[in-house]
Amino acid sequence: MTGQDQWTAVDKYYGDLLVAPDAALDAALRDSAAAGLPSIHIAPNQGKFLNLLARSISAKKILEIGTLGGYSTIWLARALPANGRLITLEANPKHAEVARANLARAGVSDKAELILAPAIETLPRLERENRGPFDLIFIDADKPSTADYFDWAVKLSRPGTLIVVDNVVRKGAVADPNSADENVLGIRRFATALAADKRVTATAIQTVGSKGYDGFVLAVVNSQNQGLSVATPLDIARLLV
Ligand code: DHB
Ligand code: MG
């Protein structure tokens, strides 16, 4: 066995061992599929990975950009303490309706607020209304806008905020400079901006599994003295006094 069959088999092996069956999560996927939502949700082991990331930083405020049917939302909301809050942004009314029902059944509606509107309109509003800073931000929405969502994510952050971006590998197509795929072009625009972004320290990890070959970017928002590889004029002035 090789390739996709093997990746799926290994996800099943570890899924059976490490990801407990969960009625609300299973029902969320079932109802999402029944409602005709695209099957582009994260895998169970990836959901648990996000949950563990959130717990490992004791996240109390989480922002998700791209709700789809709320599957990742449930994983993230469950990582929150009783007074924790999650905001998830979704542009598609049908996705939002399915997600709201899935969040309610999972018992996380009191923690998770779904905002139905284009994220590019909601993000500046969240900033104006001082809804940040968030401790963890998960970006998993329309890929052409990823760079713009990431820029807003940093504005809604504090030093130490963890930002996770899904689908940054696209079956390896991200490394093809001749790709004309708008999603690949969107991720390449994001990657180029990320490389120049002094506000964060970032890496990219390729993944294989039941959802195919893709990957995540992980970025941590720097404090002012991190991420500067050269001395600024202010640093030099300080050294001279
Ligand atoms: C697509 C989007 C996703 O968020 C994902 O995880 C997989 C695929 C897509 O638009 O093709
Ligand atoms: Mg995704």
Side-chain angles (χ1 to χ4, degrees), residues 118-196:
I120 206 61
E121 294 169 15
T122 306
L123 290 163
R125 183 164 71 74
L126 293 178
E127 195 200 31
R128 280 197 306 276
E129 295 176 358
N130 282 317
R131 300 290 296 272
F134 295 92
D135 305 309
L136 187 152
I137 301 176
F138 179 49
I139 301 175
D140 189 14
D142 58 297
K143 309 311 166 191
S145 302
T146 302
D148 310 306
Y149 298 152
F150 187 86
D151 187 51
W152 278 107
V154 178
K155 290 177 187 163
L156 288 161
S157 292
R158 54 157 176 84
T161 292
L162 182 61
I163 305 176
V164 183
V165 185
D166 195 24
N167 309 117
V168 301
V169 173
R170 314 290 310 185
K171 298 187 170 74
V174 72
D176 175 7
N178 299 315
S179 176
D181 181 314
E182 62 170 359
N183 295 325
V184 174
L185 290 170
I187 294 299
R188 286 177 64 90
R189 179 167 75 90
F190 159 62
T192 307
L194 181 65

Side-chain angles (χ1 to χ4, degrees), residues 16-67:
D16 289 348
L17 287 170
L18 299 179
V19 187
D22 183 289
L25 284 167
D26 294 347
L29 292 187
R30 195 189 57 226
D31 283 7
S32 296
L37 269 54
S39 183
I40 55 174
H41 54 83
I42 58 171
N45 57 341
Q46 295 175 328
K48 191 163 181 181
F49 177 71
L50 291 179
N51 178 284
L52 295 178
L53 281 182
R55 282 173 55 188
S56 70
I57 61 166
S58 301
K60 292 185 182 57
K61 286 174 72 170
I62 297 176
L63 173 65
E64 178 180 62
I65 305 174
T67 314

